[in-house]
Amino acid sequence: QMVETVDVRIEPNGVAIITIDAPPANRLGTAIRDVLLAHLKQLNADLAIRAIVLTGTGDSFCAGDNLREAVERGDAAVDAMAQFSAVVDEIERGRAPVIAAVNGHSIGCGLELALACDIRLGCPQTSFVAAGVNVGLMASVYRLPRLIGIARAKAILLTGLPVDAAKALEYGIITEIHETDALLDAAIRLAGRIASRAPLSVEAAKRQSNAAFDLTLGEAVHAALTEANVLLRSEDHFAAVDAFVKREKPHFVRG
């Protein structure tokens, strides 16, 4: 029995790297979901953490649910789905932006895990499969159409066919492709850039862009004004303006 774990490494610049380590394919059984959720909650509660990178070991980002475990869940199957929803909600609605370094296969709930992240980077081995129709289930029917449009999403959701890195880039599932051995460093660099920006602004931008498709124009304007009311009074805003005038690099204190 291989040990399943979730590793967390924290960089000095406030970037946390979460690595799913559940050989051979990083499948998400219920035990590892609990560990992942606990780490995500802890990192989101720590205001020193400014951005998170999520990745997997080996050649798999996350190959979906642990199907051997799933067939024996019985009445607990619905609870397991709610547990997974809690994980993706913590990623999507959590304070810190999350970058997925999709290092290989991303299948079923692994695709959903990637879709919940704010940004996804890939490598030549990256592939995505909406595996629901292949196993008599359904997933990603909400997030995938919102991300890439309904026509392209249906071609993926209704066939269960894999989407390779080139097509994922074309469709906008990922925004960059890096060589496999350079992928994690690229994701950490991008997270570092986000971590160096004004924290309150980053968090507000994540919140409002997540809500964008659900709001009318009037609601969006009201929400933006509400956020701006806080940001315009923040020390970080004044520090940024002052640094711009002085042609210096701003120091953000989250205030």
Side-chain angles (χ1 to χ4, degrees):
Q1 180 70 29
M2 292 183 176
V3 176
E4 295 186 348
T5 186
V6 176
D7 296 319
V8 177
R9 185 173 100 236
I10 297 175
E11 301 281 302
N13 61 353
V15 172
I17 300 105
I18 301 177
T19 306
I20 300 169
D21 186 7
N26 296 330
R27 293 188 177 276
L28 282 190
T30 52
I32 202 162
R33 289 179 201 180
D34 278 340
V35 176
L36 180 56
L37 181 59
H39 281 308
L40 287 164
K41 284 185 172 179
Q42 188 174 11
L43 292 171
N44 274 321
D46 182 353
L47 298 182
I49 302 300
R50 301 280 184 87
I52 297 169
V53 173
L54 178 63
T55 194
T57 54
D59 61 359
S60 183
F61 174 72
C62 172
D65 196 357
N66 184 329
L67 295 180
R68 287 180 183 169
E69 176 191 303
V71 296
E72 298 175 356
R73 282 181 192 144
D75 293 341
V78 174
D79 291 338
M81 288 181 69
Q83 177 200 36
F84 180 70
S85 290
V87 173
V88 291
D89 283 352
E90 187 65 28
I91 291 171
E92 194 166 62
R93 299 179 190 176
R95 177 190 57 81
V98 183
I99 298 170
V102 186
N103 54 297
H105 306 299
S106 185
I107 302 168
C109 69
L111 169 60
E112 191 73 348
L113 194 69
L115 294 176
C117 295
D118 298 288
I119 301 169
R120 287 154 296 280
L121 307 185
C123 64
Q125 286 74 39
T126 297
S127 69
F128 297 94
V129 182
V133 294
N134 299 338
V135 293
L137 294 171
M138 178 189 76
S140 304
V141 294
Y142 180 76
R143 289 183 175 90
L144 191 61
R146 286 161 69 91
L147 182 67
I148 66 172
I150 196 162
R152 284 173 164 173
K154 281 182 177 176
I156 296 168
L157 292 166
L158 302 182
T159 63
L161 290 169
V163 178
D164 66 15
K167 184 157 280 189
L169 182 66
E170 178 193 343
Y171 281 9
I173 300 174
I174 57 178
T175 52
E176 299 172 17
I177 297 177
H178 296 273
E179 289 303 318
T180 308
D181 59 0
L183 173 63
L184 185 57
D185 285 344
I188 292 170
R189 272 198 312 275
L190 184 58
R193 167 68 190 190
I194 292 170
S196 73
R197 302 300 91 193
L200 295 178
S201 300
V202 168
E203 292 162 24
K206 173 172 174 169
R207 269 195 304 274
Q208 292 310 312
S209 54
N210 276 349
F213 287 98
D214 299 319
L215 304 179
T216 65
L217 178 59
E219 289 167 341
V221 169
H222 175 73
L225 289 172
T226 303
E227 297 279 12
N229 197 33
V230 175
L231 298 177
L232 285 166
R233 291 174 165 80
S234 69
E235 288 180 46
D236 284 345
H237 171 60
F238 292 121
V241 172
D242 188 51
F244 177 78
V245 171
K246 294 176 179 175
R247 298 188 177 182
E248 296 173 350
K249 187 177 179 182
H251 174 65
F252 297 120
V253 296
R254 187 192 172 78

